[in-house]
Amino acid sequence: MTVELTQLPSGIRVVTHRMDSVESASLGVWARVGTRYEDASVNGVSHMLEHMAFKGTARRDARGIAEEIEAVGGHLNAFTSREVTAYHATVLKEDVPLAVDIVTDILQHSLFDQDELERERQVILQEIGQANDTPEDVLFDRFQTAAYPDQPIGLPILGPPEIVASLTRDQLVGYMQTHYSAPRMVFAAAGKLDHAEIVALVDSHFSDLATDDDGPSAPARYVGGEAREDRVLEQAHLVLGFDGIGYHDPDYYAAGVASTVLGGGMSSRLFQEIREKRGLVYSIYSFTSSYSDGGLFGIYAGTGEEGLGELMPVLCDELCRATVDIGEDELARAKAQLRAGIVMSLESSYSRAEQLARQVGIYGAPTPIDELQRRIDAVSTVDVMRVISRVLASTPTIAALGPIKALENYEAISARIGQAAR
C-alpha cells in the first residue's frame, strides 16, 4: 500500500493510495467550498451548485451523465458540508479514466441550463421540506445557528426556501467562478490504481480551472445560546453543546477520545447511565464537529416528555463527574474503538479517499496510519478530563424540539454546567 502526493502547477493537489487488495477505485474532488463561504443573501448556493453539476455539460446531458457511469457499474455522488463540497465516483479499476473524465467535466463545463435549474430548484425545495419534517435535521440546524449566530458558519447547508427559490443562474455561475479554483481543490483516489496515471489524467483534464485563491472565510466566532420550539412530536429532541476543538488544536485527538468515552457506543458512560440504568432516553450520543478554526462538542438525546425533566440534571451530573473521574478501562475501550475505525477505513476505497482528501485539505499532507494511532494512544485520562473541563467552561448552546415544557430554563442549565466547569 503506497500513499503519494503531487501538486500540479495549477495548484490542485493529487493524493492517491494504491490498494492492491481491491479491484475497484474511488476518486473525486474535495473542494474548499461550503456554507461558511456564502453570504446570507445566497445561503444554499453551494448545495444548489452541487446539484446542478450533474444536470448537463457541453458534452453530456443529465441523462447521459447518469447512463455513462452506470453503464460500467459505477456510482457517482456528491455532498456539501460547511467547509467542503465533494464530487466522487467509484468504479472498477479499468474505468478510472472514464470516472476522471466525468468528474472533471461536470466541474468545468456545466451549462446550468435554465430549464434544468428550475426543475432542480423544485427538487431542492422538496429536500428542504423533507428536512423540516425530520426533527433531528431541524434540531442540528438550529443548534448550529445558536452556536454561531449572524455568521456564515451558522447558516443551514440547504438554505432557506425563500432564498433557494430566488437564486439565479448568474449567481450560481459567479459563485462557481469565484470559489472553484485549482488551489482550493484536492483530487483524491484510492484503490487499484497508479499514481502517475492519476496525476496525468487530472493534469490533462483539468485545463479550464482558475488558478487564483480568493482566500479564507470569515473566522468562526462561537457565541452560544439557545433555540427551543415546543412542537407536537412523540419525542423531545435535545442537543447540549459547547465551544469545541478545531483540526489544528493540540487537543484534537484528546477531544475525539473524550467524546467516545462520554457517548461513543453502548459501553459509553452516558449510554450506560442514562439509557441502560435509568431508562430516560431511547438514544443518546456525544459528538465533535471540527472546523479549520474551531469546532463544537455536544451531546444529543431523544426522550419522552415524561423523562425530560429528569434528563438534564442527570446529564449535567455525568458531565461534572467526567471532569474528575475517568477510568483507565473507559479510556482503553475508547482508544480501541477509534483505532479500529482507522483500520476498518482501509477496507473501503471511498473511505480512504475521503480521509486522504480531508487530511491534505486541512494539513497539507496525508497523515500516516501509524501516526494517527500513535496520537490516539498518547491520550491519557488526565488529557480527557482536562478537555472535558475545557469545553464545559464555554457558554453552553442548547437546542430543543418537541414536547419540551419540562425542560429547565437556559439559566438553570448554565448554572449546572458552571458547577461542572468549576
Side-chain angles (χ1 to χ4, degrees), residues 306-333:
E306 64 283 354
L308 189 59
E310 187 181 350
L311 171 62
M312 188 57 74
V314 174
L315 176 55
C316 292
D317 286 347
E318 286 302 309
L319 291 175
C320 180
R321 188 164 69 88
T323 64
V324 295
D325 176 27
I326 296 293
E328 292 291 343
D329 56 337
E330 294 178 285
L331 182 71
R333 284 196 300 270

Side-chain angles (χ1 to χ4, degrees), residues 176-304:
M176 190 165 202
Q177 290 175 344
T178 299
H179 295 290
Y180 278 82
S181 63
R184 301 173 71 96
M185 293 183 177
V186 176
F187 192 101
K192 199 68 162 289
L193 50 80
D194 177 74
H195 179 76
E197 179 187 4
I198 297 294
V199 170
L201 286 168
V202 173
D203 193 26
S204 63
H205 284 71
F206 264 140
S207 57
D208 296 325
L209 286 176
T211 56
D212 55 338
D213 187 341
D214 65 331
S217 63
R221 297 176 293 101
Y222 177 87
V223 176
E226 72 169 340
R228 299 183 183 216
E229 181 186 345
D230 198 324
R231 184 188 289 191
V232 178
L233 295 171
E234 289 297 318
Q235 273 205 318
H237 300 266
L238 171 73
V239 173
L240 172 63
F242 307 91
D243 192 10
I245 309 297
Y247 286 119
H248 298 282
D249 195 294
D251 282 332
Y252 174 72
Y253 291 94
V257 176
S259 177
T260 306
V261 167
L262 280 174
M266 291 189 296
S267 66
S268 67
R269 179 170 295 198
L270 295 179
F271 191 94
Q272 283 296 312
E273 181 66 26
I274 296 177
R275 187 191 193 278
E276 296 295 272
K277 181 178 177 180
R278 298 174 184 263
L280 291 177
V281 299
Y282 171 72
S283 176
I284 188 165
Y285 58 84
S286 57
F287 61 90
T288 59
S289 298
S290 292
Y291 306 116
S292 56
D293 57 351
L296 296 168
F297 188 104
I299 300 99
Y300 164 83
T303 183

